Amino acid sequence: MRRLIFALGLTLIAAQPGHTAENVTTFTLENGLEAVVLEDHRAPVVVHMLWYKAGSADEEPGMSGIAHFLEHLLFKATDTLESGEFSDIVSANGGSDNAFTSWDYTGYFQRVAADRLELMMKMEADRMRNIRLTEEDIVTERDVILEERNQRTDSEPGALFSEQRSAAQYLHHPYGTPIIGWRHEMEQLSIEDALDFYKKYYAPNAAVLVVAGDVDPTEVEALAKKHYGPLEPTPDLPERVRLSEPPQLAERRIMYEDARVSQPYVIRTYMAPERDAGDQKTAAALTMLAEILGGSAATSVFGKALQQDTQKAVYTSAFYSGLSYDDTNFGVVIVPGPRLSLQEAEDEMDAVIAKFMEDGVDPVQLERVKTQVRASEIYGNDDVGARAREYGASLTSGLTVQDVQEWPELLEEVTEQDILDAAKMVFDRKKAVTGWYQKPSTQEVTQ
């Protein structure tokens, strides 16, 4: 079942941990770089993360994959480092590093001993503005990302299914374009494309610095001023506005068939609002709705009705992540047992949703979920890297530090009526994509 979740490309969202203000310090440099410092002195380590407010959804039409391509290229040469030397230096200093690209951001991080922080800042600041690319870099690294698409998407039927569903979910918005890019556009990416994106977005006024661990905020600010402060911002950086989604007026259905499918399932995603700065109440209610409907096989509405009581399904879930710059989606999944067809499974899932809408929220279950939220907040404080990632992803998705800190309280305040109101709002089949994932019909075996 873990492989199924990976293929779906889902993150089953529990409440994200929040953190009180006393160990969080913020500052902004004159060139526009925003910074967040999270103090945690339990171990002499630090996580240094640089987030750019640019992901695949910020690409120009026809340039899909350029954000992820550039992420790879940033490990090439700079004015002061040879190609590959960045990671070699991190490793030689006993640390680890990596990078990632999403629709809304691109991030780079290192985890090192606390006394190596200045070295990390020096190198990261260098590649923010001083990358040096060659045509050979473009050719070799373009082959790398194409092979990555081969392995992670083209050879994985679940990934292809997810890609097709996203393209159907968004009629016009760039969230419908895969982060890694469409192959025919990836093949054409050039050095000019990479440098144009780099010069526009890899700038202090389009970045968020997050430093978490055994550090002193005053010293972090001094180091940031020393290494990031001299960097020139991008002049006239445009406001971050994407193509807007037109009204969705008809449900879309996808029947994806592939001989490699090992476990058929039904998934439906509905358009849903994201967490907005200063306005997260609806997102909090949707987060609780996902947990109550499908958060636990033992206690959720889906789990009890379809797995425990009737054993009609081998797996069920509901999921929602409001951490998104623009509108996101709310989803439900059912993996039927051996005696159920996909149509019967979909009907059973819809029947449970209808009954939930009629019966309302069980207050005992709601209190149980809130207890889990409080526990999640406590456990979240133990992982300095997760804390850094939470703030970085939030700030590059349009939220503020205050929004992050208020999130646990908003989850705690969600009422039964809030959840039901959110359910009535989100369960609109005209704004939904229903997908069947199955073997070709000629290979189906009669049960």
Side-chain angles (χ1 to χ4, degrees), residues 50-345:
L50 192 65
W51 299 69
Y52 292 97
K53 299 177 183 179
S56 66
D58 299 293
E59 299 165 341
E60 294 292 331
M63 301 288 181
S64 67
I66 192 64
H68 174 250
F69 188 28
L70 186 58
E71 175 213 311
H72 280 243
L73 293 170
L74 241 69
F75 290 88
K76 301 298 182 180
T78 70
D79 283 350
T80 62
L81 297 174
E82 298 295 329
S83 181
E85 190 177 2
F86 188 109
S87 294
D88 289 343
I89 292 175
V90 174
S91 179
N93 281 271
S96 60
D97 73 321
N98 213 326
F100 46 85
T101 305
S102 181
W103 280 286
D104 295 319
Y105 50 75
T106 308
Y108 302 83
F109 70 91
Q110 304 87 40
R111 185 184 182 96
V112 292
D115 61 359
R116 301 296 194 273
L117 174 60
E118 181 171 9
L119 177 60
M120 299 303 107
M121 279 200 189
K122 179 182 178 180
M123 294 195 300
E124 197 68 83
D126 178 38
R127 68 176 175 179
M128 178 187 280
R129 280 309 207 187
N130 301 320
I131 194 75
R132 293 293 175 260
L133 301 179
T134 66
E135 286 291 350
E136 183 181 356
D137 292 333
I138 297 301
V139 172
T140 57
E141 210 60 36
R142 190 169 55 207
D143 287 342
V144 170
I145 63 170
L146 286 168
E147 181 57 27
E148 185 176 335
R149 183 180 168 90
N150 281 338
Q151 294 182 1
R152 296 185 179 182
T153 303
D154 296 336
S155 64
E156 291 287 340
L160 289 170
F161 179 45
S162 178
E163 187 175 83
Q164 292 295 305
R165 288 188 295 102
S166 292
Q169 183 81 70
Y170 295 95
L171 303 177
H172 194 48
H173 192 280
Y175 284 168
T177 300
I179 294 169
I180 198 167
W182 298 115
R183 171 174 289 277
H184 67 285
E185 293 182 348
M186 295 168 66
E187 293 171 339
Q188 303 301 316
L189 295 176
S190 68
I191 190 170
E192 290 80 15
D193 299 330
L195 289 175
D196 286 346
F197 197 84
Y198 175 73
K199 292 173 183 177
K200 182 177 182 179
Y201 291 113
Y202 279 60
N205 54 329
V208 176
L209 171 68
V210 182
V211 178
D214 187 20
V215 294
D216 176 84
T218 302
E219 294 178 1
V220 172
E221 184 172 2
L223 290 174
K225 288 179 178 178
K226 177 181 177 181
H227 295 289
Y228 290 111
L231 301 177
E232 291 295 324
T234 294
D236 303 319
L237 185 71
E239 185 180 354
R240 200 177 187 191
V241 178
R242 279 85 172 262
L243 295 172
S244 58
E245 189 71 5
Q248 297 194 356
L249 306 176
E251 179 185 6
R252 282 129 286 153
R253 300 186 67 84
I254 291 179
M255 308 296 182
Y256 185 87
E257 297 184 343
D258 194 302
R260 297 169 293 177
V261 170
S262 59
Q263 177 64 72
Y265 60 84
V266 179
I267 180 171
R268 182 183 301 130
T269 51
Y270 304 82
M271 291 297 297
E274 80 283 9
R275 290 167 59 182
D276 286 321
D279 184 12
Q280 303 183 90
K281 290 185 177 181
T282 299
L286 288 171
T287 299
M288 289 297 192
L289 173 63
E291 288 298 307
I292 287 172
L293 275 182
S296 165
T299 61
S300 69
V301 172
F302 281 158
K304 290 175 65 177
L306 298 172
Q307 294 177 251
Q308 304 299 325
D309 295 346
T310 64
Q311 298 184 342
K312 292 180 177 179
V314 297
Y315 177 80
T316 57
S317 181
F319 58 94
Y320 167 78
S321 173
L323 204 54
S324 174
Y325 193 80
D326 295 314
D327 281 354
T328 182
N329 54 71
F330 183 102
V332 291
V333 182
I334 179 170
V335 180
R339 294 184 298 276
L340 249 62
S341 67
L342 291 185
Q343 183 62 65
E344 290 169 333

